[in-house]
Amino acid sequence: MEVEIRKAQEQGRHISYFGPKANDFELLETLFREYGSSGTGQFRQYLHTFDEAVPFNQMPGTFTPWQDLPNNTDLLFYEGLHGGVKTEENDVAKHVDLLVGMVPIVNLEWIQKIVRDTTDRGHSREAVMSSIAVSYTHLRAHETEADL
């Protein structure tokens, strides 16, 4: 992801971690649709830190390969940024029974993000602040789809 972001910046573009260019909304919608109809599906994880990445033999800032959900589950608890995403092409929110929307309150959550991403994840302050500014519109869109 970091390489793609640098390439985009060199070309005068910005890729947001939260937008469609950095995420596969179609496969995410497939996960929710399949789980709702048959209790199956595939998921992947985003690896933020070395501690998260080492067990997968990957670098931070990458996704794990897609893998099957465990069998015989009664509940899909999705903790992520796009469980309520709705675009012209994809509507993940329509497959969710209860959507709890969490949008950062600008002051505290963004400050915590800046501290975490610069201290734990090695990003520059400028890069984090730029990401926040561009990403805010993608995050705010979830409020319209949330049940709570």
Side-chain angles (χ1 to χ4, degrees):
M1 187 66 203
E2 294 297 324
V3 173
E4 294 301 318
I5 288 173
R6 273 190 242 114
K7 280 185 199 174
Q9 287 173 340
E10 289 170 4
Q11 297 170 357
R13 299 179 297 113
H14 184 83
I15 296 176
S16 165
Y17 283 101
F18 307 109
K21 294 206 184 308
N23 295 278
D24 195 329
F25 294 155
E26 184 174 340
L27 286 177
L28 184 60
E29 183 176 5
T30 299
L31 163 64
F32 280 80
R33 183 178 54 253
E34 287 181 359
Y35 192 82
S37 66
S38 64
T40 63
Q42 290 195 317
F43 74 101
R44 66 181 180 172
Q45 296 171 281
Y46 183 77
L47 306 172
H48 296 94
T49 65
F50 280 105
D51 288 341
E52 292 173 343
V54 166
F56 294 95
N57 197 30
Q58 291 181 219
M59 293 295 293
T62 61
F63 285 101
T64 64
W66 289 89
Q67 55 192 310
D68 291 332
L69 289 170
N71 293 324
N72 302 317
T73 60
D74 296 319
L75 175 72
L76 175 62
F77 180 82
Y78 178 83
E79 183 180 16
L81 297 173
H82 302 297
V85 72
K86 186 174 184 179
T87 67
E88 289 182 20
E89 296 83 20
N90 304 103
D91 186 356
V92 175
K94 75 178 179 185
H95 303 287
V96 176
D97 293 323
L98 177 64
L99 178 59
V100 178
M102 301 295 287
V103 176
I105 297 170
V106 174
N107 294 335
L108 182 58
E109 282 83 355
W110 288 133
I111 291 168
Q112 290 173 331
K113 177 179 177 44
I114 292 167
V115 170
R116 181 196 64 224
D117 287 3
T118 56
T119 305
D120 298 341
R121 298 181 180 167
H123 300 294
S124 72
R125 183 170 182 244
E126 293 77 17
V128 177
M129 291 173 63
S130 175
S131 174
I132 288 170
V134 172
S135 304
Y136 186 69
T137 57
H138 297 294
L139 291 173
R140 195 119 160 79
H142 296 265
E143 288 181 340
T144 62
E145 299 301 321
D147 296 309
L148 297 174

